[in-house]
Amino acid sequence: MSMEEVRCPLCGKPNPAELEVCQFCEARLKPLTGAGNSELEDWLGSLRSGSSGESQTPSTPSWERSEDDSADWLASLRKEPDVDDGKAQESGETEWWAPPPGTDAQDEGFPDWLADIRSQAVDAEPAAPPQAARPDRPTASAPLPREDAEPDWLQRVRARKQEDEGTPPEEPAASTDEPLPDWLAGLGGAAAQEASQEQLPDWLSSSETPLPAPGMQPPSDDIPEWLLGRQRSQDAQGEPQAEAEVPDWLTGLSQETASPDMAEAEADAGRGDQAGWFTGLEQPAAEEPAAPPASIFSAPQDAELPSWLSGLAAAVPEQAPPDAEQEESEAAGILFDEQADGAPSSSAPPFEGERPSQPLSGRALDGTISPFTEDLPGWEEEPLAGEEASEPVLHDEPGLARAEMPSWLEAMRPVEAAAPVIPLRSQDEQKVISSGPLAGLRGVLPADAEIASQRAPAAYTLKLQLNDTHQAQAEMLEKMVKKEGTPRELRESPVISSQQLLRLVVFFALVAAVLAQSVFGLVSVPAPAPSSAVFSARAAVDSLTAGAPVLVAVDYPAGFSGEMEAVASGLLDHLMIKGTYLALVSSQPAGPALAEHLIGTANAAGGHTYNEIGQYANLGYIPGGTAGLFAFVHSPRRVVPFALNSNGEHDPWKTGPLANVNAISDFGLVIVITNDPENARAWVEQTRTGLAEKPLLMLVSAQAEPVVRPYYEGKPQLVNGMLAGVAGGAAYEASLVRSGMGGRYWAVLGPGVNLAVIMILLFGVLGWVIDRFGQSKGSPSSRKESAS
Amino acid sequence: MNLESSALMELVGGLVGFFLTIMVFSYILGDNPFFRVAINIFIGAAAGYALVVAWYSVIWPQLLLPLIFGSQSERLFVLFPLLFAGLLLLKMSSRLSWLGSPAVAYLVGVGAATAVGGAVLGTILPQVSAAVNALDWDPTGQGAGSAWLQVAAGLLMLIGTTSTLAYFHFGARPGLGGIPRRSPWLEIVALLGKGFIAVTLGAIFAGAFLAAFAALVERMEFFREFLVPLILPG
């Protein structure tokens, strides 16, 4: 922690030194000390008003009121024990326990019942204060009675102790003129001369109010009701009865805890000046030689005791009597932080763990540092040793603020992580409360210690590990984002683009070539030479007899009808020439119509009259795709039971060539006309096993040839003959020495294909030149460069 | 139908075909309404014709006719497809579509089994056998010269098949920089296979171009046959 920062005593977080309250928890960083009398008056005034509202009432006697408002009952804490009277008077401060003028200071504030007891004890055995008992012990801030006002029970305890130790009892302080120890003399003198008429708070007056003088009527406000009642009865009877003044419960308590030693009983009577709650808290401290509680009254043995008190009394062990003076001083020290030297006492009080080892008030009492000075005490400027040990050291990077975990995130942490490991501190390591009503106590509110002991979140670096590729991508992304934000001019799209113009040029060139060749026959194109596949197909057709059933599968869409009809027209012409019976099927819905158109085209090309059901049967559509083909292979009658061209009068499966056909193997030849390689493969796969030795011909489009040809050229040969494209049809017609669609289309197709090849090469080279050497902005290279 | 009406029908049909062809050719200028109209007409006509074909080829003769006029056994035989057809119709309802799942499952299962069986027995095994037999030394068949060419073709086929399969082998181990790379010898074989694939795709593209060009030739022949008599009668 730097010097400019002050760590909050409550939350443990650093704060700027100039702040008075913590910026995180709003706890006060600087105690309300040393701010001058004005601030002191404020909080003390509030304390007075809050604690004793009756102190300002008119019923308060005048001798209890302070003549000077600036005086404080705690002002004595700041004063050194050896402050002389004159200095005290010059400061304008008055002792709060000072008796009013004309009254006995040693008896003021005590109830009359207690005053009677004191008077009896003084008469019987005048006690002398143990002058050398604890000479180095710092004086307590608690209002100590003057020398002559020392309780008699205390004197008796000292006398008994000295008797036990074999030392001669000290001479009782018979006269006030006898010199006293410095610390006691100063205290007593200061107390006597600085006896203030300031009003005493109720909570202090209940325990520390001096006993009033005998015969003096104490203010009724200071006397509880039960005491008032007993006082009235005593006045009425006219004889003091100590036992009668003792309440029953107190009598029983004294009976239960009565020690055989009277000195012990009187030592406890000293505690009777203290608050009753304090006495009860002091008793459970059994680890020290605490004095058993005893009543200062001689209670009757048969007094009744409440049950809760009976249990409490029974739990009190009988132990050796403590040092009465020590107990008394410790009791006062708890209340007023009088233990200044920090030396551990032989008898630990009940608040042992909460008492400071070096209380502020103690330092004030020994005259070094006053808790109400403006200077910050040392503990506030420097953290405690225990805090430094428990707090993790964080090395914050410059310019980075320490992160704080949000509350919601902190709530989500596991319990093991959130629960701080609070080391058990000893008494000396616990922090002293520096301000507020609990000032001087140790470890009362250990919240700061818990917070400080929590583990700080791990600090992670925010630097990203980027390489050159990442940086390049980031720059590219940045450019893209910037480019999206910049407005660009909208280009008017031309009516016709260069690409469309190129399309038009290619289209019209091909159309012109085709029309010119078709109309005018500019170029003579020879028919292609028949391949082995063509010869195989022709041989298969040639093997057929007239009227042999031939299955023709028309499996192409309408868009390919031009090409497929050119391929198949020559072979159909050959089949019609042979007089075979054609059974047309299709695995596509439009197939039957295309089959009819194919028959018509073949009739027109070859001059045939295949129009009746006796010459061909359009069996229609085979549903089910591949499964339908499989079913048709094994049971064609069930799959396609009717012929579309029969008009319902003629059943081709009952009469004619199909009457003997029950499977696909019963056909003399199977011809598949398709443009799709998948259809061709499906027909091959599904029919090959069912055809046995019957031939299978494939009339396929040019685009399906690369896929179908392996079935023809492979061993075993799955396809017995094949015609591929217009060239295949033209070759078949050429083998038959007949003219047909194949030859006619090939005559037009050839020049067009050559022109297309030339254009492909030409434009390919042109594109490469433009891409390589072109500087036009719209070229692909320039676009690529602009994109990069 | 007399000759005049027949000629009129041919004329009307020819005009419809001519304009539809022009509308389809208009796509050379880009997508336009004429092309869309022609395509929609073609799709609608094909769908309507398919419906008619399905009715006259499947539904009526194979389902309803046996159910109405068939024998008891024929009726029982068509109950199963009738039930499945009804369940398939329930697929149109989002609430009852699950009832059509059995029919779909039946169709998919039968179709898959048929396709797989046909592919194994009709394509894979025969092609494997053909690849092996390509290297069969048969000098008595077509002479010694042909035998050597046959072996050479078989070797080329073997190399092409192997290299093409190697091209589709994507197994690799991490190399320098963590980039997975195949072994060098596999890279060479794969490159060779890539060449075979390119040649094959080129042949298929050439065939597609020839098919398309054949369609253009057919349309030009149609124009010639339709327009020339109109322009140059007699």
Side-chain angles (χ1 to χ4, degrees), chain B residues 126-172:
Chain B
Q127 292 300 319
V128 170
S129 177
V132 173
N133 294 331
L135 297 174
D136 186 14
W137 181 262
D138 187 13
T140 59
Q142 299 178 359
S146 298
W148 284 108
L149 290 178
Q150 182 181 356
V151 171
L155 287 175
L156 184 63
M157 187 184 304
L158 177 63
I159 293 173
T161 304
T162 306
S163 60
T164 302
L165 291 176
Y167 175 79
F168 290 101
H169 177 73
F170 299 110

Short mmCIF file of all heavy atoms in Angstrom, two decimals, chain B residues 126-172:
data_model
loop_
_atom_site.label_atom_id
_atom_site.label_comp_id
_atom_site.label_asym_id
_atom_site.label_seq_id
_atom_site.Cartn_x
_atom_site.Cartn_y
_atom_site.Cartn_z
N PRO B 126 -19.27 -56.97 -60.64
CA PRO B 126 -18.89 -57.06 -62.05
C PRO B 126 -17.76 -56.11 -62.43
O PRO B 126 -16.89 -56.47 -63.23
CB PRO B 126 -20.19 -56.72 -62.79
CG PRO B 126 -21.26 -57.07 -61.84
CD PRO B 126 -20.72 -56.74 -60.50
N GLN B 127 -17.76 -54.91 -61.88
CA GLN B 127 -16.69 -53.97 -62.22
C GLN B 127 -15.36 -54.41 -61.64
O GLN B 127 -14.31 -54.23 -62.26
CB GLN B 127 -17.05 -52.57 -61.73
CG GLN B 127 -18.22 -51.94 -62.47
CD GLN B 127 -17.92 -51.79 -63.95
OE1 GLN B 127 -16.81 -51.43 -64.35
NE2 GLN B 127 -18.92 -52.10 -64.79
N VAL B 128 -15.40 -54.95 -60.44
CA VAL B 128 -14.15 -55.49 -59.88
C VAL B 128 -13.64 -56.65 -60.73
O VAL B 128 -12.44 -56.74 -61.04
CB VAL B 128 -14.39 -55.94 -58.43
CG1 VAL B 128 -13.18 -56.72 -57.90
CG2 VAL B 128 -14.65 -54.73 -57.54
N SER B 129 -14.55 -57.46 -61.11
CA SER B 129 -14.15 -58.58 -61.97
C SER B 129 -13.63 -58.09 -63.32
O SER B 129 -12.66 -58.62 -63.87
CB SER B 129 -15.35 -59.51 -62.19
OG SER B 129 -15.01 -60.55 -63.06
N ALA B 130 -14.27 -57.03 -63.83
CA ALA B 130 -13.81 -56.48 -65.11
C ALA B 130 -12.43 -55.86 -64.97
O ALA B 130 -11.58 -55.98 -65.87
CB ALA B 130 -14.81 -55.44 -65.61
N ALA B 131 -12.18 -55.20 -63.82
CA ALA B 131 -10.86 -54.61 -63.61
C ALA B 131 -9.79 -55.70 -63.52
O ALA B 131 -8.65 -55.51 -63.97
CB ALA B 131 -10.87 -53.76 -62.35
N VAL B 132 -10.15 -56.83 -62.93
CA VAL B 132 -9.18 -57.93 -62.83
C VAL B 132 -8.99 -58.59 -64.19
O VAL B 132 -7.86 -58.88 -64.61
CB VAL B 132 -9.67 -58.94 -61.78
CG1 VAL B 132 -8.78 -60.17 -61.78
CG2 VAL B 132 -9.70 -58.29 -60.40
N ASN B 133 -10.07 -58.79 -64.90
CA ASN B 133 -9.97 -59.49 -66.18
C ASN B 133 -9.33 -58.64 -67.27
O ASN B 133 -8.99 -59.18 -68.34
CB ASN B 133 -11.37 -59.91 -66.64
CG ASN B 133 -11.97 -60.96 -65.72
OD1 ASN B 133 -11.23 -61.74 -65.11
ND2 ASN B 133 -13.30 -60.98 -65.62
N ALA B 134 -9.21 -57.35 -66.99
CA ALA B 134 -8.57 -56.51 -68.00
C ALA B 134 -7.11 -56.90 -68.21
O ALA B 134 -6.55 -56.64 -69.27
CB ALA B 134 -8.66 -55.05 -67.59
N LEU B 135 -6.50 -57.49 -67.21
CA LEU B 135 -5.11 -57.92 -67.31
C LEU B 135 -5.00 -59.40 -67.69
O LEU B 135 -3.91 -59.98 -67.59
CB LEU B 135 -4.39 -57.66 -65.98
CG LEU B 135 -4.29 -56.18 -65.57
CD1 LEU B 135 -3.71 -56.05 -64.17
CD2 LEU B 135 -3.47 -55.43 -66.58
N ASP B 136 -6.11 -59.99 -68.07
CA ASP B 136 -6.08 -61.41 -68.46
C ASP B 136 -5.40 -61.56 -69.82
O ASP B 136 -5.82 -60.95 -70.81
CB ASP B 136 -7.52 -61.94 -68.51
CG ASP B 136 -7.54 -63.44 -68.76
OD1 ASP B 136 -6.47 -64.08 -68.63
OD2 ASP B 136 -8.63 -63.96 -69.07
N TRP B 137 -4.34 -62.34 -69.79
CA TRP B 137 -3.59 -62.57 -71.03
C TRP B 137 -4.35 -63.57 -71.87
O TRP B 137 -4.51 -64.72 -71.46
CB TRP B 137 -2.19 -63.09 -70.68
CG TRP B 137 -1.34 -63.32 -71.90
CD1 TRP B 137 -1.15 -64.53 -72.51
CD2 TRP B 137 -0.63 -62.38 -72.65
NE1 TRP B 137 -0.34 -64.38 -73.59
CE2 TRP B 137 0.02 -63.06 -73.71
CE3 TRP B 137 -0.44 -61.00 -72.55
CZ2 TRP B 137 0.82 -62.40 -74.65
CZ3 TRP B 137 0.36 -60.38 -73.47
CH2 TRP B 137 0.99 -61.07 -74.51
N ASP B 138 -4.84 -63.09 -73.03
CA ASP B 138 -5.61 -63.95 -73.92
C ASP B 138 -5.09 -63.76 -75.34
O ASP B 138 -5.72 -63.08 -76.16
CB ASP B 138 -7.10 -63.63 -73.83
CG ASP B 138 -7.93 -64.63 -74.61
OD1 ASP B 138 -7.39 -65.68 -75.00
OD2 ASP B 138 -9.12 -64.34 -74.81
N PRO B 139 -3.91 -64.31 -75.65
CA PRO B 139 -3.34 -64.09 -76.98
C PRO B 139 -4.11 -64.81 -78.08
O PRO B 139 -4.01 -64.44 -79.24
CB PRO B 139 -1.93 -64.63 -76.84
CG PRO B 139 -2.00 -65.62 -75.75
CD PRO B 139 -3.05 -65.13 -74.81
N THR B 140 -4.91 -65.77 -77.70
CA THR B 140 -5.62 -66.53 -78.74
C THR B 140 -6.87 -65.83 -79.19
O THR B 140 -7.50 -66.22 -80.18
CB THR B 140 -6.00 -67.91 -78.21
OG1 THR B 140 -6.83 -67.76 -77.06
CG2 THR B 140 -4.74 -68.68 -77.84
N GLY B 141 -7.22 -64.84 -78.49
CA GLY B 141 -8.49 -64.20 -78.81
C GLY B 141 -8.41 -63.36 -80.06
O GLY B 141 -9.06 -63.62 -81.06
N GLN B 142 -7.58 -62.34 -79.99
CA GLN B 142 -7.55 -61.41 -81.11
C GLN B 142 -6.12 -61.20 -81.62
O GLN B 142 -5.82 -60.17 -82.19
CB GLN B 142 -8.14 -60.07 -80.67
CG GLN B 142 -9.59 -60.17 -80.24
CD GLN B 142 -10.12 -58.82 -79.77
OE1 GLN B 142 -9.39 -57.84 -79.76
NE2 GLN B 142 -11.38 -58.81 -79.39
N GLY B 143 -5.25 -62.15 -81.39
CA GLY B 143 -3.90 -62.01 -81.90
C GLY B 143 -2.97 -61.45 -80.86
O GLY B 143 -3.38 -60.89 -79.85
N ALA B 144 -1.67 -61.55 -81.11
CA ALA B 144 -0.69 -61.13 -80.13
C ALA B 144 -0.70 -59.63 -79.94
O ALA B 144 -0.59 -59.10 -78.84
CB ALA B 144 0.69 -61.60 -80.57
N GLY B 145 -0.83 -58.94 -81.07
CA GLY B 145 -0.82 -57.49 -80.94
C GLY B 145 -1.98 -57.00 -80.12
O GLY B 145 -1.84 -56.16 -79.25
N SER B 146 -3.10 -57.53 -80.35
CA SER B 146 -4.27 -57.15 -79.57
C SER B 146 -4.12 -57.53 -78.12
O SER B 146 -4.59 -56.80 -77.23
CB SER B 146 -5.52 -57.80 -80.17
OG SER B 146 -5.71 -57.35 -81.49
N ALA B 147 -3.47 -58.66 -77.86
CA ALA B 147 -3.26 -59.06 -76.48
C ALA B 147 -2.39 -58.05 -75.74
O ALA B 147 -2.65 -57.70 -74.58
CB ALA B 147 -2.63 -60.44 -76.43
N TRP B 148 -1.32 -57.60 -76.41
CA TRP B 148 -0.47 -56.58 -75.77
C TRP B 148 -1.23 -55.29 -75.53
O TRP B 148 -1.10 -54.67 -74.48
CB TRP B 148 0.76 -56.31 -76.64
CG TRP B 148 1.78 -57.39 -76.53
CD1 TRP B 148 2.12 -58.33 -77.47
CD2 TRP B 148 2.62 -57.64 -75.40
NE1 TRP B 148 3.10 -59.16 -77.02
CE2 TRP B 148 3.44 -58.76 -75.73
CE3 TRP B 148 2.77 -57.05 -74.14
CZ2 TRP B 148 4.38 -59.30 -74.87
CZ3 TRP B 148 3.72 -57.57 -73.29
CH2 TRP B 148 4.51 -58.67 -73.64
N LEU B 149 -2.05 -54.91 -76.51
CA LEU B 149 -2.86 -53.71 -76.30
C LEU B 149 -3.86 -53.90 -75.18
O LEU B 149 -4.14 -52.98 -74.41
CB LEU B 149 -3.58 -53.34 -77.61
CG LEU B 149 -2.70 -52.82 -78.74
CD1 LEU B 149 -3.55 -52.55 -80.00
CD2 LEU B 149 -1.98 -51.54 -78.32
N GLN B 150 -4.38 -55.10 -75.10
CA GLN B 150 -5.35 -55.39 -74.05
C GLN B 150 -4.69 -55.31 -72.68
O GLN B 150 -5.25 -54.75 -71.73
CB GLN B 150 -5.96 -56.77 -74.26
CG GLN B 150 -7.01 -57.13 -73.23
CD GLN B 150 -7.57 -58.53 -73.46
OE1 GLN B 150 -7.19 -59.19 -74.47
NE2 GLN B 150 -8.42 -58.99 -72.57
N VAL B 151 -3.49 -55.84 -72.58
CA VAL B 151 -2.78 -55.75 -71.30
C VAL B 151 -2.43 -54.31 -70.97
O VAL B 151 -2.54 -53.85 -69.82
CB VAL B 151 -1.50 -56.62 -71.35
CG1 VAL B 151 -0.65 -56.37 -70.12
CG2 VAL B 151 -1.87 -58.08 -71.45
N ALA B 152 -2.04 -53.58 -72.04
CA ALA B 152 -1.72 -52.17 -71.81
C ALA B 152 -2.96 -51.40 -71.34
O ALA B 152 -2.89 -50.57 -70.42
CB ALA B 152 -1.16 -51.55 -73.09
N ALA B 153 -4.10 -51.71 -71.97
CA ALA B 153 -5.35 -51.07 -71.52
C ALA B 153 -5.70 -51.48 -70.11
O ALA B 153 -6.18 -50.66 -69.29
CB ALA B 153 -6.48 -51.44 -72.49
N GLY B 154 -5.43 -52.76 -69.81
CA GLY B 154 -5.70 -53.20 -68.44
C GLY B 154 -4.82 -52.50 -67.42
O GLY B 154 -5.28 -52.12 -66.33
N LEU B 155 -3.53 -52.33 -67.78
CA LEU B 155 -2.63 -51.62 -66.88
C LEU B 155 -3.06 -50.16 -66.69
O LEU B 155 -3.04 -49.63 -65.58
CB LEU B 155 -1.20 -51.69 -67.41
CG LEU B 155 -0.50 -53.04 -67.30
CD1 LEU B 155 0.88 -52.99 -67.97
CD2 LEU B 155 -0.34 -53.44 -65.84
N LEU B 156 -3.44 -49.56 -67.80
CA LEU B 156 -3.91 -48.17 -67.69
C LEU B 156 -5.16 -48.09 -66.82
O LEU B 156 -5.30 -47.17 -65.98
CB LEU B 156 -4.20 -47.63 -69.08
CG LEU B 156 -4.61 -46.16 -69.15
CD1 LEU B 156 -3.49 -45.26 -68.64
CD2 LEU B 156 -4.99 -45.77 -70.59
N MET B 157 -6.04 -49.06 -66.99
CA MET B 157 -7.24 -49.09 -66.15
C MET B 157 -6.89 -49.31 -64.70
O MET B 157 -7.46 -48.68 -63.79
CB MET B 157 -8.19 -50.19 -66.64
CG MET B 157 -9.55 -50.19 -65.96
SD MET B 157 -10.56 -51.58 -66.49
CE MET B 157 -10.58 -51.34 -68.25
N LEU B 158 -5.91 -50.18 -64.46
CA LEU B 158 -5.50 -50.44 -63.08
C LEU B 158 -4.87 -49.20 -62.44
O LEU B 158 -5.18 -48.85 -61.29
CB LEU B 158 -4.50 -51.60 -63.06
CG LEU B 158 -3.91 -51.95 -61.68
CD1 LEU B 158 -5.01 -52.43 -60.75
CD2 LEU B 158 -2.83 -53.02 -61.83
N ILE B 159 -4.02 -48.55 -63.23
CA ILE B 159 -3.39 -47.34 -62.68
C ILE B 159 -4.44 -46.26 -62.43
O ILE B 159 -4.42 -45.57 -61.39
CB ILE B 159 -2.30 -46.84 -63.66
CG1 ILE B 159 -1.15 -47.85 -63.71
CG2 ILE B 159 -1.79 -45.48 -63.24
CD1 ILE B 159 -0.11 -47.53 -64.79
N GLY B 160 -5.34 -46.13 -63.39
CA GLY B 160 -6.38 -45.12 -63.20
C GLY B 160 -7.25 -45.40 -62.00
O GLY B 160 -7.57 -44.48 -61.21
N THR B 161 -7.63 -46.65 -61.83
CA THR B 161 -8.48 -46.99 -60.68
C THR B 161 -7.74 -46.77 -59.37
O THR B 161 -8.28 -46.17 -58.42
CB THR B 161 -8.93 -48.46 -60.80
OG1 THR B 161 -9.60 -48.65 -62.04
CG2 THR B 161 -9.85 -48.82 -59.66
N THR B 162 -6.50 -47.23 -59.31
CA THR B 162 -5.74 -47.10 -58.06
C THR B 162 -5.46 -45.65 -57.72
O THR B 162 -5.63 -45.21 -56.57
CB THR B 162 -4.42 -47.87 -58.18
OG1 THR B 162 -4.69 -49.21 -58.57
CG2 THR B 162 -3.68 -47.85 -56.86
N SER B 163 -5.04 -44.90 -58.71
CA SER B 163 -4.71 -43.50 -58.44
C SER B 163 -5.95 -42.69 -58.08
O SER B 163 -5.89 -41.79 -57.25
CB SER B 163 -4.01 -42.90 -59.66
OG SER B 163 -4.86 -42.97 -60.79
N THR B 164 -7.06 -43.02 -58.71
CA THR B 164 -8.29 -42.31 -58.37
C THR B 164 -8.72 -42.61 -56.94
O THR B 164 -9.13 -41.71 -56.19
CB THR B 164 -9.42 -42.70 -59.34
OG1 THR B 164 -9.00 -42.40 -60.67
CG2 THR B 164 -10.69 -41.94 -59.02
N LEU B 165 -8.59 -43.87 -56.53
CA LEU B 165 -8.90 -44.21 -55.15
C LEU B 165 -7.91 -43.53 -54.19
O LEU B 165 -8.30 -43.12 -53.09
CB LEU B 165 -8.87 -45.72 -54.96
CG LEU B 165 -9.99 -46.49 -55.65
CD1 LEU B 165 -9.79 -47.99 -55.47
CD2 LEU B 165 -11.34 -46.07 -55.09
N ALA B 166 -6.65 -43.43 -54.60
CA ALA B 166 -5.67 -42.77 -53.74
C ALA B 166 -5.97 -41.29 -53.60
O ALA B 166 -5.67 -40.69 -52.56
CB ALA B 166 -4.26 -42.96 -54.30
N TYR B 167 -6.54 -40.71 -54.62
CA TYR B 167 -6.88 -39.28 -54.52
C TYR B 167 -7.92 -39.04 -53.43
O TYR B 167 -7.91 -38.02 -52.76
CB TYR B 167 -7.40 -38.78 -55.85
CG TYR B 167 -7.88 -37.35 -55.81
CD1 TYR B 167 -6.97 -36.30 -55.84
CD2 TYR B 167 -9.24 -37.05 -55.72
CE1 TYR B 167 -7.41 -34.99 -55.79
CE2 TYR B 167 -9.68 -35.75 -55.67
CZ TYR B 167 -8.76 -34.72 -55.69
OH TYR B 167 -9.19 -33.43 -55.64
N PHE B 168 -8.80 -39.99 -53.25
CA PHE B 168 -9.84 -39.84 -52.24
C PHE B 168 -9.42 -40.39 -50.89
O PHE B 168 -10.28 -40.56 -50.01
CB PHE B 168 -11.14 -40.52 -52.70
CG PHE B 168 -11.80 -39.79 -53.83
CD1 PHE B 168 -11.68 -40.24 -55.13
CD2 PHE B 168 -12.54 -38.65 -53.60
CE1 PHE B 168 -12.29 -39.58 -56.18
CE2 PHE B 168 -13.15 -37.98 -54.64
CZ PHE B 168 -13.02 -38.43 -55.94
N HIS B 169 -8.16 -40.68 -50.73
CA HIS B 169 -7.65 -41.10 -49.42
C HIS B 169 -7.17 -39.85 -48.68
O HIS B 169 -6.17 -39.25 -49.07
CB HIS B 169 -6.50 -42.10 -49.58
CG HIS B 169 -5.91 -42.52 -48.27
ND1 HIS B 169 -6.55 -43.35 -47.40
CD2 HIS B 169 -4.72 -42.23 -47.70
CE1 HIS B 169 -5.80 -43.54 -46.34
NE2 HIS B 169 -4.67 -42.86 -46.49
N PHE B 170 -7.89 -39.48 -47.68
CA PHE B 170 -7.60 -38.22 -46.97
C PHE B 170 -6.88 -38.45 -45.64
O PHE B 170 -6.77 -37.52 -44.85
CB PHE B 170 -8.89 -37.45 -46.72
CG PHE B 170 -9.59 -37.08 -47.99
CD1 PHE B 170 -10.79 -37.68 -48.35
CD2 PHE B 170 -9.05 -36.14 -48.85
CE1 PHE B 170 -11.43 -37.34 -49.52
CE2 PHE B 170 -9.68 -35.80 -50.03
CZ PHE B 170 -10.88 -36.40 -50.37
N GLY B 171 -6.45 -39.64 -45.37
CA GLY B 171 -5.72 -39.88 -44.13
C GLY B 171 -4.33 -39.25 -44.20
O GLY B 171 -3.61 -39.41 -45.18
N ALA B 172 -3.99 -38.52 -43.17
CA ALA B 172 -2.69 -37.85 -43.15
C ALA B 172 -2.25 -37.68 -41.71
O ALA B 172 -3.07 -37.73 -40.78
CB ALA B 172 -2.77 -36.50 -43.84
#
